[in-house]
Structures are given as structure tokens and as C-alpha cells.
Amino acid sequence: MRRVVLWMAMFLVTAIPFVGCSKSTDRIMDTTVATTEESILNGKLELKVPDPVAKKGSKILFVGNSHTYVNDLPQIFYEMTIALGTECDVYDLTEGAYYLHQFADTEDEIGAILDEALTEEEWDFVILQENTNAAVSNTPEKDMLPYAEILDKKIKKANGQTGFLMTWAPKNGGSNGVFAISREKVQEILATNYSEVAKQVDGLLFPAGIAFLKVAEQYPEIQLWDEDEIHPSVAGSYLASCVIYAELFQKSPEGCSYIGGLDEEVAKKLQTMAKEIVLE
């Protein structure tokens, strides 16, 4: 079992600046969402259970932008599977600022690489992460869903299960150009859109963004955001990995000996939060 970066992603991680979602909330033009804050942000999510659940040796591909490759989330997840005795084959394909519509475009250089990976290989799980601009759109049925459907069809043809990594709102929220929008409201939009897209394609959902909010509320001393207040800190990436592990394996990540350089007590709190949000 091993962790592998698709060759193009290895180059891009070292060559592309972290601009993936640097102005991620500039395009929020309407904060009206179909689902209430209570039902989304309080964790009342209908999370699909993987069928089958992940197991030792599962082949997993991460697809996303800088929200995924900052701190190397796939590597953190891989180390976590080793420590918990469920080592998986973990791959990733990432590019700064990329949208699902680019990953779904076979004329795009990175999209062509993904198309080859999905048509020539079989996968157990493919985890998709959208650019925040599309994920906070008030028309996700146009900006996000069609491309998720294109990729989902390829993933299912490759015998895989599609999952969506629900990302986190910027630490200080956003703006629609006129009014400031709170972090909670931005997260509500992200949660609603990701949840609806996952539901439409019968996919898995990894509610990392909701985990960010809960940790920020209960443990404000834990810094989940990087200095730019948009990308995750190491603790934020570790929390996202815990959420992904809990959902894929339907097991708690509590007790994981790999803590990614974090303080042991901090890691324990993040592990427990992931368990509570996903499994309870």
C-alpha cells in the first residue's frame, strides 16, 4: 500500500502559488438558501453511508485545489490510515484555483489527466473538492451540479463511489460587495450547496466545513485557518482528514497515534469532533 501523487499534481503543488480561493466570497450575491441554519449547521445532515465502506487497501483519489493540497491533506489522511491499521492506496490530483468544470473538461490539461485516471483505472472512492466561488453560488445547479454529474458518471463507471469534501468558510466570513456576510452564513451556503449536489448524484458528503465551525465555537484557542484566514492550518487539514476517515470507514478516528505534529490534546479534540459530527 502506498500514497502516490499523479505526476502533474506533483509539479503543480510546487509551482503554483496558493491562489485557489483567495477571493472566495466575492461572488456571494444572494444569501438566501433553501435549508435553514438550524438544520444544516447543527449537524442534522443526511450523510450517506458508503456501500461498501472503506477498508484496508481501498484505492482513493483526492481531486481539488489549494484547499486540498495546502498542508497535503491526502498525505495526512494516508498517514492516518496507516496509524489506524487501515492503510489505503491514496492518490491526488490538485491545481490551484481549479473548479470542477475544469476537472470535467477533457480539453483542459488537468482535466485530461483526470479523465485518463478515471477511464483507465478503477477506484474505490474519488473525493471531489469544488472552488469556493462555485460552492457559494446562488445557482449551484448551473455552476456546480452539471460538472459533478459528469465526473460522477466516470467515477461510477470506474466502480468507484463519489464523495464531496465540504470546505470551510473564510475565518472572517465574506462580502457580497455591499454587506458583510458572517462566517456562519457563508458556511450555511457552502453546506447547503454541497449537500444538495451530493444528494443529486447519490454521493458521499464529508462535512469538514461544519466541523470547522463547531471546533471554532467550542475550542476557539485551536487555530484552524492559516495566516491568510482562508486556507487551513495544519490543525484544519487534520480535522478535515478526521472527518473523511470517519465517513469512509464509518469508524471513529479517536485514538489515532498519528497527530501530524499537533499537540496531543488538540489532536484528540479534533478526532472526537469528527466522530460526533459524522457518526453521532
Side-chain angles (χ1 to χ4, degrees), residues 23-65:
K23 296 183 179 179
S24 60
T25 56
D26 287 352
R27 292 175 55 193
I28 301 177
M29 300 307 294
D30 183 356
T31 59
T32 302
V33 291
T35 310
T36 67
E37 182 174 338
E38 179 181 1
S39 64
I40 289 291
L41 299 190
N42 285 344
K44 298 176 182 177
L45 291 169
E46 295 182 4
L47 297 179
K48 178 183 177 181
V49 175
D51 184 20
V53 298
K55 61 182 180 180
K56 186 174 183 178
S58 289
K59 189 175 178 182
I60 302 169
L61 174 62
F62 285 76
V63 177
N65 55 42

Side-chain angles (χ1 to χ4, degrees), residues 1-3 56-57 74-90 241 245 249 255-258:
M1 312 302 176
R2 59 197 177 105
R3 186 271 169 128
K56 186 174 183 178
Q75 181 69 37
I76 293 174
F77 176 79
Y78 172 65
E79 297 291 348
M80 188 172 288
T81 67
I82 294 176
L84 290 169
T86 53
E87 183 179 357
C88 294
D89 286 333
V90 181
S241 179
Y245 186 91
F249 287 89
C256 181
S257 61
Y258 173 74

